[in-house]
Amino acid sequence: MPQNEYIERWTKQHGKRLDHDERTRKRIARSSHKASESARSFTGLRAKLYAKKRHAEKIQMKKQIKAHEERNVKSSSAPAEPSSTPLPSYLLDRNQTTNNAKALSSQIKNKRAEKAAKFSVPLPKVKGISEEEMFKVVKTGKKTAKKGWKRMITKPTFVGPSFTRRPVKYERFIRPMGLRYKKAHVTHPELRVTVQLPIISVKKNPQNPLYTQLGVLTKGTIIEVNVSELGIVTAGGKVVWGRWAQVTNNCEMDGCVNAVLLV
Amino acid sequence: MATVLPPPSKRQKTAIAEKAHDQQSIDAIPSDLGSVRVHFYDQSTGRPSGAPVAIPVADATVKNLELLLNTLQGNDASERVPYRFTFGADGQAVDIVDDIYRALLKPGLRTTEDTISLHYTPQAIFRVRAVSRCSASIPGHGEAILATSFASSSSSRLVTGSGDNNARIFDTDTGTPFHTLKGHTSWVLVASWSPDDTAIATGSMDNTVRLWDPQSGQPLGQPLRGHTKWITSLAWEPYHLRQSSTFQRLASSSKDSTVRIWDSVSQRIDLVLSGHKSSVSCVRWGGTGTIYTASHDKTIKLWDSTEGTLISTLTAHAHWVNHLALSTDFVLRTAYHDHTGAIPSTDNEKMAKAKQRFETAATINNILTERLVTASDDCTIYLWSPPPAPSSNTATIKPVARLLGHQKQVNHVTFSPSGTLIASSSFDNHIKLWNAATGAFLHTLRGHVAAVYMSCFSPDSRLLVSGSKDTTLKVWDTATGKLKEDLPGHRDEVFAVDWSPDGRGVGSGGKDKQVRVWRH
């Protein structure tokens, strides 16, 4: 028997008090009086906590009442439509798991029609990052220290799948394994849908063309992401798989890449 | 600059020419093969037509076989019928595409020693040209288009049902809206023309069915109320089964798991077919007076349309039955309208012509049989051949064939107008073609990159058009299983597609709110 179930055990052994039900009824009947008494008399922090608790309870109560009322109404009006967009009868009973992605594709198409949207990005300006902040000079070993041109990148990077390191002797830039990212959380700006998608490449780092080459992911970087899972198609009926997105967070602070899709 | 290769020397040129000549001559039919004995059988009756005929192998092309068979049948030179020849052996059917040598002798299926039995099926004597361009994209609807249907007499009238609570009739010749059918209070899910084009029925999310006059665009009477959930499908009584030419009935299936049969003149419920345990997904009214219903409760039920009694329940599917099609769908839809465009003058003649057209389409081996194909969420398709209604063994009907191959749910099946092919469209992005007699697999039509929602045969059965989630329509050649035309143009999913019964155009509609008409 668990330690804390002594009351249940006692009830099992000896039964309930003869006036148990009466006492419960009275306690429930009295509870509203008690609640109002406490509400009036409490002061300070206790009052604050009590008011907060009571507020939450009341919201819950109101919701419940509303639900009951809705259930009781016999509506003669048209039945609620099962989805916000019209669907043919053969799709009505199917749960639309891919709906978001599809909505995404049509939104993108609509937006692209507006020409002005082509060159605007969500983050037009970013703070500059100095080379000292970006690179750490590697001074390990006798020869390396002497040469003094070996750099370690201190920011997260994207490294393509086909990358192989150069011989250590010639390697100028080290991109640490721990700071490499393959996936980004990409948000569609209008729909507020976020999907985790694989990164294909880094298209442009606003800081420096060298960083673009190195695949450095800083705030404001334009990346190409693989959207083939979303099932987006072009007007000609081909599957779209690469689409651009802009990084919106400081990846080195957060430990993840968040991006917003460019539409 | 890249290096330019020197031109080939004379020796190289002759070698190439010789090689090309050799390779080409391999493909030709050898002239020394002598002759082969061919025995023709009628596909519909299974009977031979005359004695075997000896044909020189070099001349045994489809063209020549057609000519020979027409002569054997005693057809006039002016009305030669094109035939399709199939060779059936041990369960598989081989289509003779070019000639007997390439189809049968070269693969080693038969030798010149054997007598080759060829089954022939008459093809439509008219030819529908593949649609290749969008002749009109007509805006008008304010929401996605959920259903389209051409009038049974001509391709000039198209009705569409939409999510903006309206149905519209379009004049496809000019590409303009003709009438707006206003009245429903929710999405119009289905729209259907009566076989003689005197009425349009629309079924909606607001649980009602409405009837409209196609000429004036005015409602015919009050909405038909009775269902408690939305309408999933509509079926008109076949023209030749009507008690009189003006008295027509309509069956509507609903999500509320009933089918109601309405008397369209007095606007009353004639019969209620209740027995299904879940949403009825599809209803069809057969030409023998049987009503076929498919339901989400995994069964297909056969009902008597006069009494409203249950004839039989077909249970084989393991999941929702999504759609069903009859081998006679096309003739029932078009009734007395045929490819010549000649319309009989009196009602009795119309009735007789409709009946005669139905009987030609439904007769197999001299028995009136309506075959039935059902598509399901269990990724399979079943082919059924229920015996005519007053037969004793309707209680246990076994399927003719189980058509396996789809990887995902099958959404739509359709018989070709000739009744020889079945096309099934599935959520696995493919369409499959099957032999309608045996259920043998013929072709997979690959090309769509998203779920295929619907497909529709051309009236001559030689082409198939499919509409897909990937925003395109594709036209396929049913004989070869190859893509004939790719029709991009819609900006979003294509929900509904229909080929006009006279073959002149294809109408499609979808999520981009535009009706498109495609022509050759």
Side-chain angles (χ1 to χ4, degrees), chain B residues 126-439:
Chain B
F126 56 98
R127 207 170 249 281
V128 170
R129 292 190 293 179
V131 290
S132 56
R133 68 193 168 89
C134 179
S135 77
S137 83
I138 319 166
H141 278 302
E143 270 297 348
I145 290 147
L146 308 178
T148 61
S149 177
F150 271 104
S152 25
S153 60
S154 76
S155 63
S156 57
R157 292 281 181 274
L158 174 75
V159 68
T160 58
S162 161
D164 64 358
N165 309 354
N166 294 334
R168 275 169 189 265
I169 306 177
F170 291 97
D171 183 340
T172 56
D173 296 333
T174 58
T176 48
F178 190 55
H179 287 303
T180 308
L181 314 179
K182 278 187 189 159
H184 281 296
T185 55
S186 190
W187 313 341
V188 180
L189 294 170
V190 274
S192 169
W193 293 75
S194 73
D196 56 354
D197 282 353
T198 53
I200 293 172
T202 54
S204 164
M205 198 69 177
D206 64 6
N207 311 346
T208 62
V209 177
R210 280 170 190 259
L211 298 171
W212 313 85
D213 179 12
Q215 297 305 320
S216 63
Q218 295 303 311
L220 291 170
Q222 291 295 307
L224 311 179
R225 294 180 197 281
H227 283 297
T228 54
K229 288 237 173 96
W230 67 80
I231 314 297
T232 53
S233 144
L234 293 170
W236 287 91
E237 182 173 28
Y239 190 80
H240 65 272
L241 291 181
R242 288 186 189 175
Q243 286 163 5
S244 75
S245 66
T246 51
F247 180 81
Q248 47 188 356
R249 295 193 293 166
L250 171 73
S252 65
S253 69
S254 165
K255 165 84 176 160
D256 68 3
S257 68
T258 63
V259 172
R260 279 163 203 267
I261 297 169
W262 312 84
D263 174 351
S264 77
V265 179
S266 66
Q267 316 258 329
R268 291 223 193 90
I269 299 174
D270 205 14
L271 295 169
V272 181
L273 313 180
S274 51
H276 278 298
K277 294 192 193 73
S278 183
S279 168
V280 184
S281 51
C282 195
V283 62
R284 283 284 188 279
W285 201 317
T288 52
T290 315
I291 292 176
Y292 304 89
T293 57
S295 164
H296 283 183
D297 67 3
K298 310 174 199 173
T299 61
I300 300 119
K301 284 181 194 281
L302 275 57
W303 313 81
D304 188 308
S305 65
T306 50
E307 311 274 311
T309 49
L310 180 70
I311 297 169
S312 169
T313 303
L314 314 182
T315 49
H317 281 296
H319 209 312
W320 296 354
V321 187
N322 291 323
H323 196 254
L324 76 87
L326 299 179
S327 55
T328 54
D329 268 345
F330 184 78
V331 286
L332 295 180
R333 178 182 168 191
T334 51
Y336 52 83
H337 305 280
D338 64 6
H339 67 279
T340 58
I343 295 173
S345 49
T346 65
D347 287 342
N348 281 343
E349 283 174 28
K350 284 179 181 174
M351 206 79 99
K353 187 171 175 190
K355 192 166 168 73
Q356 182 258 326
R357 285 193 75 211
F358 166 72
E359 279 166 1
T360 352
T363 307
I364 303 164
N365 297 339
N366 290 330
I367 305 166
L368 206 60
T369 330
E370 251 180 344
R371 270 163 303 144
L372 173 71
V373 66
T374 54
S376 163
D377 254 18
D378 62 3
C379 315
T380 64
I381 303 154
Y382 277 98
L383 180 66
W384 311 83
S385 179
S391 129
S392 57
N393 55 352
T394 48
T396 52
I397 298 172
K398 288 268 179 294
V400 176
R402 185 181 185 207
L403 318 186
L404 294 167
H406 277 296
Q407 307 280 309
K408 281 191 186 161
Q409 296 95 317
V410 188
N411 187 47
H412 189 270
V413 277
T414 175
F415 264 98
S416 68
S418 61
T420 52
L421 294 171
I422 296 168
S424 58
S425 3
S426 158
F427 287 154
D428 65 0
N429 310 354
H430 303 325
I431 303 152
K432 282 179 194 284
L433 286 180
W434 315 85
N435 183 336
T438 58

Side-chain angles (χ1 to χ4, degrees), chain A residues 78-79 81-83 85-94 98 102 106 109 233-237 239, chain B residues 143 146 163 186-187 189 205 230 232 255 296 322 377 411 427 449 453 469-470 472 488 491-493 495:
Chain A
E81 284 149 0
S83 93
T85 53
L87 289 175
S89 53
Y90 51 79
L91 294 179
L92 279 174
D93 291 323
R94 304 187 180 281
T98 54
K102 189 56 209 178
S106 46
K109 275 177 218 156
V233 283
T234 64
V239 175
Chain B
E143 270 297 348
L146 308 178
S186 190
W187 313 341
L189 294 170
M205 198 69 177
W230 67 80
T232 53
K255 165 84 176 160
H296 283 183
N322 291 323
D377 254 18
N411 187 47
F427 287 154
V449 293
Y453 286 144
K469 191 179 175 175
D470 69 3
T472 62
R491 302 243 171 75
D492 215 325
E493 298 177 27
F495 284 145

